[in-house]
Amino acid sequence: MKPFLHKSFSTLLALLVLFSTVSFTIEKHFCGDILVDVALFTEAEKCEMEVLEIKQNKTCCKDVTNVVEGQDELKFSSFEDLEFEQQQFLASYVYSYINLFEGLPNLIIPHKDYSPPNLVTDIQVLHDTFLI
């Protein structure tokens, strides 16, 4: 359960950073008050009335462009940017946390290379003795 939560939170945070830095445009084309086309990342298709408007110099069509700006400046901080008290706390925390993980002694397993004997008959079934 813990590795699944760790991977899902990591993925969620990576997607959050990705989507906070992506910028995109939404372009809408209106003919009068009627929405004709909406396009994401591309130009909206023009209606047939716009061709007639160019010939007659009338404008009833309009294009609306919404630009959603992503974050373009990410702040990278280093250990030197912290105040002295924060550096001292972080260093002591990391030092005490690393010391929790001491190497385990090599355990000697005496029966590691021992293979059990082949069973000729199942004694529990033979004598009808079962633990319940």
Side-chain angles (χ1 to χ4, degrees), residues 18-28 38-43 64-72:
L18 175 69
F19 287 125
S20 69
T21 57
V22 171
S23 57
F24 57 93
T25 59
I26 301 171
E27 195 165 312
K28 299 175 188 173
V38 176
L40 187 67
F41 299 116
T42 59
E43 283 190 25
V64 176
T65 304
N66 295 336
V67 178
V68 178
E69 290 289 332
Q71 183 180 4
D72 59 346

Side-chain angles (χ1 to χ4, degrees), residues 8-128:
S8 61
F9 284 133
S10 299
T11 305
L12 180 70
L13 288 175
L15 289 174
L16 179 69
V17 169
L18 175 69
F19 287 125
S20 69
T21 57
V22 171
S23 57
F24 57 93
T25 59
I26 301 171
E27 195 165 312
K28 299 175 188 173
H29 181 75
F30 289 95
C31 188
D33 291 333
I34 300 171
L35 179 64
V36 176
D37 189 30
V38 176
L40 187 67
F41 299 116
T42 59
E43 283 190 25
E45 291 185 19
K46 311 297 182 200
C47 64
E48 297 165 1
M49 292 293 293
E50 191 164 13
V51 176
L52 296 174
E53 290 175 2
I54 294 173
K55 293 179 183 176
Q56 298 174 359
N57 291 333
K58 294 181 182 177
T59 56
C60 72
C61 294
K62 63 179 177 178
D63 292 324
V64 176
T65 304
N66 295 336
V67 178
V68 178
E69 290 289 332
Q71 183 180 4
D72 59 346
E73 294 182 14
L74 295 176
K75 182 180 178 186
F76 296 104
S77 35
S78 65
F79 187 72
E80 287 79 23
D81 293 340
L82 299 174
E83 296 176 7
F84 178 71
E85 291 83 14
Q86 293 173 335
Q87 288 179 355
Q88 188 176 13
F89 173 76
L90 187 62
S92 61
Y93 180 76
V94 168
Y95 178 75
S96 64
Y97 188 74
I98 287 175
N99 284 339
L100 291 177
F101 299 106
E102 295 178 359
L104 294 175
N106 292 334
L107 297 176
I108 299 172
I109 303 172
H111 58 278
K112 180 176 76 173
D113 297 326
Y114 173 73
S115 61
N118 293 330
L119 294 177
V120 178
T121 60
D122 194 359
I123 296 173
Q124 289 178 345
V125 174
L126 182 66
H127 297 286
D128 290 333

